Amino acid sequence: MHIYHSVSECNTPTQTIVTIGTFDGVHLGHKTLIQELNKIAFESSLTAVILTFNPHPRLVIFPDDNGLQLLNTLEEKIELFRTSGVQHLIIHPFTKEFSRLSSADFVRNILHNQLKVKKLIIGHDHHFGRNRQGSIAELEELAPLYDFEVTQLNEVTIGNTVISSTKIRNALLDGKVEVANKYLGYSYALTGAVIHGKKLGRTLGFPTANMAVVNTKLIPSNGVYAVTVTINDEPITYYGLLSIGNRPTFDNGEKSVEVFIINFDRDIYERTITVTLQHFLRTDQKFNSADELITQMKKDKVQAEEIFGVR
C-alpha cells in the first residue's frame, strides 16, 4: 500500500477512481465500499485511491469540543486499510483553511486538477466541502463539467440495521461489544502503554496492568470484559479480564482501564499492550467488602477461562 501525506504527493500515472471519507472504524460498510472501489478500478484500468484526513475534521472545526471519541487511532486505521486491500491511501492534513474549501472548489482543485479523477464512488450518506454542503446532487451536476462519473452505493445492513460508525460507538458505550464487533467485522481493541496505578489488584490476588489509552479513542462502557491480550513485540496471545471503571468498592476515583492477564506473572511496565474485547461479562459495581469483590473476580476468571477454553 502506498501512503501519501497530502494530495499533492499522490501523482499517479493513470486516471483514478477515488473514494473520500473519515472511515472511522473501517467497518463492514467501509469495506464494502473499498471492495467496490478495487473492483471498478480493475475493470476500468484506473488507479484506486482513498482520500481521508488527519486530524479528524471535528477536532479542527470544533476545537473546544472535547467529546470526540474515535473507533481507531490513525495507526490502527492505516493497518485496517492495508488488510482491506487499499492500493493508494492519501492522509491529507485537515486544516481550518482546507475546511473552508467549497464543494465546487474541492471537486475542481482536488479531484480534477490533482487526482485526475475519472470515477468517484461514495457512500450513501456522503457530504463534503465547507459545512458539508456538497451532496450527491451537486456531484452529479459537477461530474459532466470535469468528465468523471459518480456512483453512490446503498447502505450496508445486518438484519434491519444500517451499519455506521455512530451505531458502533453507541453499541460500545452500551457494553454491547459483541454487536459492535459484528458491525466492525473484527474485534474492537484498545492499545496503550502499561503505567503504574494504585496496585489495588495486587492486594486482591489479581494484579492488573493499567493502560494509558490515547485520549480520543473511545473507551467502552464501564464493566468487565473477557479479552485477548498481546504484548506488542511478542508473538504470543494471552487471555484476560479487562476492567473499565472507577473502582467503586474502594475510592470511586478516576476512570481506569486495567487488565488482569490469566496465568501471567511478569513486569511489563512501560511496554505497549493491546487488549481485544471479545465478550462483556458484567457491569462495574460496588461490593460491600474486598472479600465480596475477590469472590466475584474469581467467578469472572472462571467464566473467561470457559469462554476461551483455557485453565
Side-chain angles (χ1 to χ4, degrees), residues 247-309:
R247 306 183 191 93
T249 301
F250 296 101
D251 55 13
N252 205 29
E254 293 183 0
K255 189 169 187 173
S256 67
V257 179
E258 47 192 304
V259 60
F260 166 71
I261 306 175
I262 297 171
N263 300 327
F264 185 88
D265 183 21
R266 283 168 44 202
D267 182 345
I268 52 173
Y269 286 117
E270 299 182 4
R271 303 280 291 278
T272 298
I273 64 173
T274 297
V275 296
T276 304
L277 284 71
Q278 306 293 348
H279 299 279
F280 179 82
L281 300 185
R282 63 175 175 87
T283 59
D284 190 30
Q285 59 196 96
K286 182 175 182 177
F287 293 88
N288 293 322
S289 67
D291 286 341
E292 279 192 18
L293 174 57
I294 291 170
T295 298
Q296 181 59 56
M297 292 172 73
K298 288 179 179 178
K299 292 178 181 178
D300 296 336
K301 179 174 178 286
V302 169
Q303 188 174 356
E305 290 172 335
E306 289 176 349
I307 287 171
F308 295 123

Side-chain angles (χ1 to χ4, degrees), residues 2 8 28-29 53 78 80 85 128 137 146 151 164 175 201 230-231 238-239 264 280 283 287:
H2 300 280
S8 61
L28 289 179
F53 308 100
I78 289 172
L80 286 164
F128 66 102
Y146 297 106
T151 300
S164 71
T230 56
I231 302 170
Y238 302 95
Y239 303 99
F264 185 88
F280 179 82
T283 59
F287 293 88

Side-chain angles (χ1 to χ4, degrees), residues 122 126 128 133-144 150 152:
I122 59 174
H126 182 77
F128 66 102
Q133 292 175 344
S135 63
I136 181 63
E138 183 171 7
L139 283 172
E140 288 174 340
E141 289 180 8
L142 293 169
V150 58
Q152 185 174 39

Side-chain angles (χ1 to χ4, degrees), residues 60-117:
V60 175
I61 298 171
F62 306 108
D64 297 326
D65 180 2
N66 297 317
L68 180 65
Q69 296 180 303
L70 298 176
L71 299 172
N72 302 135
T73 64
L74 180 60
E75 293 76 15
E76 290 169 345
K77 186 185 294 188
I78 289 172
E79 186 57 29
L80 286 164
F81 278 136
R82 191 188 312 278
T83 58
S84 297
V86 172
Q87 301 174 33
H88 296 267
L89 173 64
I90 303 173
I91 308 169
H92 190 79
F94 196 91
T95 63
K96 286 187 176 180
E97 181 182 7
F98 186 82
S99 74
R100 298 187 186 106
L101 198 64
S102 71
S103 50
D105 286 342
F106 179 85
V107 169
R108 181 180 62 252
N109 297 339
I110 303 296
L111 296 183
H112 177 69
N113 292 346
Q114 296 192 63
L115 294 182
K116 298 175 288 193
V117 66

